[in-house]
Amino acid sequence: MTCQLRVLGCSGGIGGDNRTTAFLLNQNILIDAGTGVADLQLHELRAIDHVFLTHAHLDHIACLPLLLDAVVGARTAPVYVHATEQTIQLLRSHIFNWLIWPDFTVIPSAERPSLIFVPHELGQVEQMGELSVTPLPAIHTVPAVSFLLSSKASSVVFSGDTIGGTDFWQVVNQVASLKALIIETAFADKEHAIADAAKHLCPSTLAKELKEWQGTAEVLITHLKPGESEVTIREVLELDHIHPIRRLLQGEIIEF
Ligand SMILES: [Zn+2]
Ligand SMILES: [Zn+2]
């Protein structure tokens, strides 16, 4: 069976048609829950059983509280939110704390919660039918992971927010049948210092990171800041002539 990864949002910010990071995998799995989730129909929201989070930054979780609110009562099964223990703690302390949003792990009751957190660790393979999701190393300003998504036929790697790093590339270099590498380039090179401080990539650091990669799959660029997306993607195309590389498009479906 082929897996489908639908890009709900792949922008580094909002404004106009820009939606932040969220992917729908095979109808019932979300990879990050940025503002792209808000474009789903109610029946599509109700079909989501699992949410995998790269990290707790708002552009990746903004729609998670609203998703739970939208589906509570209409589902009999809980929504499972998979993240590292550190990310789960951040969500418990700062979002689902009855101040910013209710604690859905006890709604409607502790015995029948609408939200169950599932802690995962690097390298831990989560098998979901014919599909598997594995957290891989990432380096960001807060605890973060990237994801390896694998079907029986092939795989896609999604970097999340990261500056890459040797540990990430070591794992990615061992992935057989890689169909696509989705990697962020949040800032243009004129904002190199800001990118470094925020632990995001810019075109020149992306080019440096890609030198560590031995693969030849298509590189899909995500998380471009809306105001500088054109200049950023132009710089990316000028700096890396080795790999097939292009901008990831909101709404596109990657089959693997
Ligand atoms: Zn981030
Ligand atoms: Zn982000």
Side-chain angles (χ1 to χ4, degrees):
M1 194 191 86
T2 318
C3 291
Q4 291 197 328
L5 186 69
R6 178 172 153 200
V7 183
L8 305 177
C10 57
S11 173
I14 60 166
D17 293 332
N18 294 297
R19 306 284 186 271
T20 69
T21 309
F23 300 88
L24 184 63
L25 186 50
N26 284 1
Q27 279 95 49
N28 70 328
I29 301 169
L30 272 183
I31 305 294
D32 279 344
T35 65
V37 174
D39 290 332
L40 290 174
Q41 299 298 316
L42 196 50
H43 71 273
E44 295 176 302
L45 295 171
R46 287 173 175 165
I48 292 165
D49 297 315
H50 299 273
V51 182
F52 286 81
L53 297 175
T54 57
H55 65 302
H57 274 160
L58 200 59
D59 55 326
H60 299 251
I61 63 132
C63 277
L64 178 62
L66 297 168
L67 163 69
L68 292 160
D69 184 59
V71 304
V72 68
R75 287 174 54 90
T76 48
V79 176
Y80 294 92
V81 173
H82 306 250
T84 62
E85 194 62 69
Q86 297 112 308
T87 296
I88 291 170
Q89 281 312 320
L90 291 170
L91 294 171
R92 283 188 191 278
S93 305
H94 301 287
I95 304 288
F96 298 101
N97 57 7
W98 294 107
L99 297 171
I100 299 298
W101 209 242
D103 179 2
F104 278 85
T105 64
V106 294
I107 293 175
S109 68
E111 293 73 35
R112 284 196 315 112
S114 13
L115 160 64
I116 291 180
F117 285 115
V118 185
H120 62 202
E121 292 177 7
L122 291 182
Q124 184 185 327
V125 182
E126 198 88 51
Q127 197 69 41
M128 330 274 300
E130 296 200 347
L131 172 81
S132 69
V133 181
T134 311
L136 305 182
I139 302 171
H140 197 35
T141 52
V142 295
V145 298
S146 50
F147 284 121
L148 168 64
L149 314 173
S150 298
S151 70
K152 284 216 157 88
S154 59
S155 297
V156 170
V157 165
F158 166 50
S159 78
D161 286 3
T162 187
I163 53 169
T166 305
D167 290 349
F168 172 72
W169 293 113
Q170 261 180 7
V171 185
V172 177
N173 279 333
Q174 287 165 20
V175 177
S177 319
L178 188 62
K179 175 87 182 278
L181 170 67
I182 301 172
I183 190 162
E184 62 121 312
T185 308
F187 293 97
D189 264 336
K190 68 174 170 17
E191 301 202 278
H192 195 142
I194 294 170
D196 283 356
K199 287 198 166 57
H200 275 291
L201 292 169
C202 61
S204 56
T205 49
L206 172 74
K208 212 170 108 219
E209 288 297 321
L210 285 176
K211 289 203 169 77
E212 293 210 44
W213 185 40
Q214 291 146 18
T216 53
E218 190 172 36
V219 180
L220 303 173
I221 302 298
T222 181
H223 212 294
L224 301 155
K225 287 283 174 193
E228 53 195 68
S229 59
E230 295 307 322
V231 59
T232 306
I233 199 69
R234 198 166 59 240
E235 288 174 350
V236 166
L237 296 175
E238 283 165 5
L239 277 162
D240 187 294
H241 298 287
I242 304 162
H243 302 94
I245 196 162
R246 68 173 173 86
R247 182 176 182 170
L248 183 67
L249 300 173
Q250 190 174 299
E252 78 172 284
I253 293 172
I254 300 164
E255 297 200 332
F256 64 99

